Amino acid sequence: MQELLEKIDKSLLPRHVAIIMDGNGRWAKEKGYDRLYGHFHGVESVRNIVEGCAELGIEYLTLYAFSTENWDRPEYEVFGLMELLVNTIRKEVPVLNKNNIKLHVIGDMQMLPEYALMELQEALDETHLNTGLNLVMALSYSSRWELVNAVKNIAFDVQAGKIDPSSITQDTLQGYLTTSAFPDPELMIRTSGEYRISNFLLYQLAYAELYFTNTRWPDFRKDHLYEAIIDFQSRERRFGKISEQLHHEHAAH
Ligand code: IPE
Ligand code: IPE
Ligand code: MG
């Protein structure tokens, strides 16, 4: 683990890492347990990765914890996940404060049960002065929900005369997204061997480097994170240009 850590170039860290934490259910099933047992163990991975990101000095970590579509899972699993979420958040606030971590949430909060909302709000209030890692939990989140919501709010503001449609730019749209206060993720990790985005940050991932691993989320630990970052650092991010231009720009600086 130490060796992997030493391979990371601290001057080339992604500012924002986003993770689709997938594979809890299969992890549990493979061991002959109930799916909820997998979610329960997934919490340990969350702790470990949050700590790992804070130690590295990463500024933003977004975790996809529950999608809008996940509401359609069997009631038993949805309820179990909500319970786990509320209990975990309640327990972790002192740890977040100790590590100077500021909690944020993105998603359709109106879908959450009242008790979960109250717990969340408390955790947000209690960590809002922290200045270290920004931990963004995507809860009841889906990118299409977010984009529709943004378009709706822009339309309302046009109607109210607050914005002129011809002045709308990428920055305007960005300002209406739930992630308006965060830079776009530079590295997106999905665990558990699925090669899809599943309605996660479709707009914001435009130029993110994507990293897929077969490791199930409950098995994902700091060394897996380090591997993903090392892989990220080996890639050439061209943003539409050609390689020579990038080297030229480097030389010019
Ligand atoms: C990810 O694990 C956690 C959530 C979606 C809440 P899954 O529950 O999707 O586990 P698999 O993909 O079925 O194994
Ligand atoms: C994506 O995982 C959502 C989260 C990890 C919270 P899913 O397991 O819901 O995605 P699909 O159904 O495999 O695409
Ligand atoms: Mg899944």
Side-chain angles (χ1 to χ4, degrees):
M1 196 161 120
Q2 195 58 34
E3 277 166 38
L4 277 175
L5 189 56
E6 280 163 13
K7 282 196 197 156
I8 294 179
D9 178 348
K10 289 287 183 68
S11 69
L12 276 179
L13 284 174
R15 283 187 73 195
H16 186 170
V17 176
I19 307 182
I20 302 180
M21 309 185 287
D22 196 21
N24 296 351
R26 278 165 287 164
W27 182 89
K29 285 275 155 200
E30 283 155 8
K31 295 183 155 44
Y33 295 113
D34 186 84
R35 293 176 55 86
L36 283 180
Y37 183 73
H39 296 314
F40 184 74
H41 275 268
V43 174
E44 197 43 49
S45 304
V46 172
R47 277 198 200 98
N48 191 270
I49 295 311
V50 168
E51 190 182 87
C53 285
E55 285 165 357
L56 277 171
I58 287 180
E59 294 174 63
Y60 300 87
L61 171 66
T62 297
L63 297 176
Y64 201 10
F66 195 89
S67 74
T68 309
E69 288 76 20
N70 289 148
W71 289 113
D72 297 331
R73 289 191 179 190
E75 207 174 313
Y76 162 77
E77 184 170 343
V78 171
F79 185 76
L81 269 166
M82 282 301 131
E83 279 280 283
L84 184 64
L85 183 83
V86 169
N87 290 336
T88 305
I89 287 174
R90 185 184 295 144
K91 270 200 294 211
E92 293 301 313
V93 167
V95 183
L96 295 178
N97 282 333
K98 191 175 136 259
N99 295 317
N100 198 19
I101 297 169
K102 182 170 176 173
L103 183 70
H104 307 260
V105 280
I106 55 171
D108 185 2
M109 291 304 129
Q110 288 174 2
M111 295 283 289
L112 287 175
E114 190 65 32
Y115 71 95
L117 267 181
M118 279 166 55
E119 286 293 335
L120 258 180
Q121 195 53 54
E122 250 185 66
L124 293 173
D125 293 344
E126 285 174 27
T127 62
H128 91 282
L129 292 175
N130 294 339
T131 55
L133 173 72
N134 288 282
L135 173 60
V136 185
M137 296 299 292
L139 282 182
S140 187
Y141 173 88
S142 84
S143 206
R144 288 187 175 179
W145 164 81
E146 174 181 49
L147 289 168
V148 168
N149 205 45
V151 169
K152 215 183 269 177
N153 287 327
I154 291 174
F156 282 133
D157 283 349
V158 166
Q159 197 177 37
K162 288 188 204 155
I163 44 174
D164 168 10
S166 62
S167 74
I168 293 175
T169 61
Q170 292 190 12
D171 287 340
T172 317
L173 179 54
Q174 156 76 16
Y176 282 81
L177 298 176
T178 59
T179 54
S180 60
F182 319 130
D184 286 344
E186 287 161 272
L187 169 62
M188 196 287 287
I189 300 170
R190 182 169 189 152
T191 60
S192 199
E194 305 297 350
Y195 299 91
R196 54 177 173 265
I197 305 289
S198 301
N199 219 347
F200 186 48
L201 302 174
L202 298 178
Y203 184 83
Q204 296 87 336
L205 291 175
Y207 270 105
E209 295 299 326
L210 308 181
Y211 181 88
F212 297 95
T213 168
N214 288 330
T215 305
R216 306 263 192 247
W217 179 251
D219 289 328
F220 196 86
R221 288 293 180 276
K222 286 179 196 175
D223 44 351
H224 299 101
L225 172 74
Y226 300 158
E227 277 169 5
I229 293 175
I230 292 163
D231 191 280
F232 166 84
Q233 294 187 331
S234 74
R235 302 193 191 181
E236 182 176 66
R237 307 187 69 209
R238 289 188 289 277
F239 299 98
K241 296 184 182 175
I242 66 167
S243 193
E244 287 75 4
Q245 288 175 294
L246 304 173
H247 296 309
H248 184 72
E249 279 167 21
H250 268 298
H253 284 146

